[in-house]
Amino acid sequence: MDKLLSVLIEGLGTGGLYAVVALGLSLVAGVMRLLNLAHGEFLVGSVYLIMTLMAFAGLDPFLAMVGALPVVFIAAYVIQRALLQDLMAHSAEAVLVGTFGISIAAQAIFQIAFGSNAVAITSLLGLTGVEILGHTTRWVSVVAITLALGLTAATHFLLTRSTFGWSLRAAAEDSMAAQSLGVDVRHVFALCFGLGAVLTSFGAIVVGIGFSIEPSSGMLWLMRGVAVVVIGGMGSVWGTLLAGCMVGLVEEASVVIVGSEYRDIVVFGLLVLVLVLRPNGLFRGNAA
């Protein structure tokens, strides 16, 4: 019973982290039909930016994250508006190549600027724990699941209850019709891409505290994010949360049952199974 409780609590904490990491990827993929292969680099870059603000401004990790958000948003907005928007007019393959190129370039920049050694954000949240139902778990896991619930609810509200959300959904359904109604599609899509990057930055604080990162770490987090997005349903905000928790639980259970060396096999085996049985994911992808 204690082991089952441990798997449940740790799995939900891990799942919350995966949901936060994948939420921005799911939003961009579901609304813009754009699979951002540089998603992991936005995550890693946000961690480096947070650490830089902590070092030079003496900020708390969460205050540093708040300071990093506008920088990440502006960078993503410019990338989408100046490069990816024109590539989207050509083909999906052109966008994939473009984001892959951004990923490679970003990794090179990170290595030049920060070196190749693994680093982590220094915080007591990664070292201290809290007791839940008799089981001690790290505070960073509690932060992860709290962020997952809060960001998922906020994103759902933004998409379904705001003028921006209505404009975005209209542009996604029929960009020409949306333009005829006065929607600036290029601006709305750039805002969406920026929002996706900002959501990823929230995940960066948990990743940076709970794990170490290096310039090439983005690919590992991209793979986990893609698994969660595909299982949850492309563009399904609540599906991303549920799929993240599912992947986290499956991963923690596999560590207990077959060992940590097999957890990637189990997780991506689940991904293949879902693709075979439900190619569109377990939940309806509707960007909400």
Side-chain angles (χ1 to χ4, degrees), residues 78-202:
V78 171
I79 288 172
Q80 164 61 23
R81 195 72 185 259
L83 175 62
L84 299 183
Q85 184 63 45
D86 291 333
L87 292 178
M88 288 173 64
H90 291 283
S91 65
E93 291 79 6
V95 177
L96 285 175
V97 173
T99 55
F100 181 70
I102 293 170
S103 170
I104 298 300
Q107 290 181 40
I109 293 171
F110 296 155
Q111 185 156 359
I112 292 170
F114 303 102
S116 57
N117 293 331
V119 295
I121 296 173
T122 303
S123 173
L124 289 177
L125 290 178
L127 303 174
T128 57
V130 58
E131 189 171 299
I132 301 176
L133 300 177
H135 173 78
T136 301
T137 187
R138 291 192 303 171
W139 267 109
V140 70
S141 297
V142 178
V143 172
I145 192 64
T146 303
L147 279 176
L149 290 169
L151 291 175
T152 300
T155 303
H156 174 78
F157 180 85
L158 182 66
L159 291 175
T160 58
R161 297 289 187 271
S162 70
T163 302
F164 167 72
W166 298 329
S167 299
L168 183 58
R169 289 155 70 88
E173 289 293 329
D174 190 331
S175 60
M176 295 298 293
Q179 276 186 320
S180 68
L181 294 174
V183 175
D184 186 344
V185 173
R186 294 174 67 92
H187 176 61
V188 166
F189 277 170
L191 288 176
C192 177
F193 195 77
L195 175 60
V198 165
L199 291 173
T200 304
S201 292
F202 279 99

Side-chain angles (χ1 to χ4, degrees), residues 1-9 135 252 256-257:
M1 185 64 183
D2 289 341
K3 188 167 288 188
L4 178 60
L5 181 62
S6 173
V7 168
L8 180 62
I9 293 174
H135 173 78
E252 292 298 328
V256 172
I257 297 171

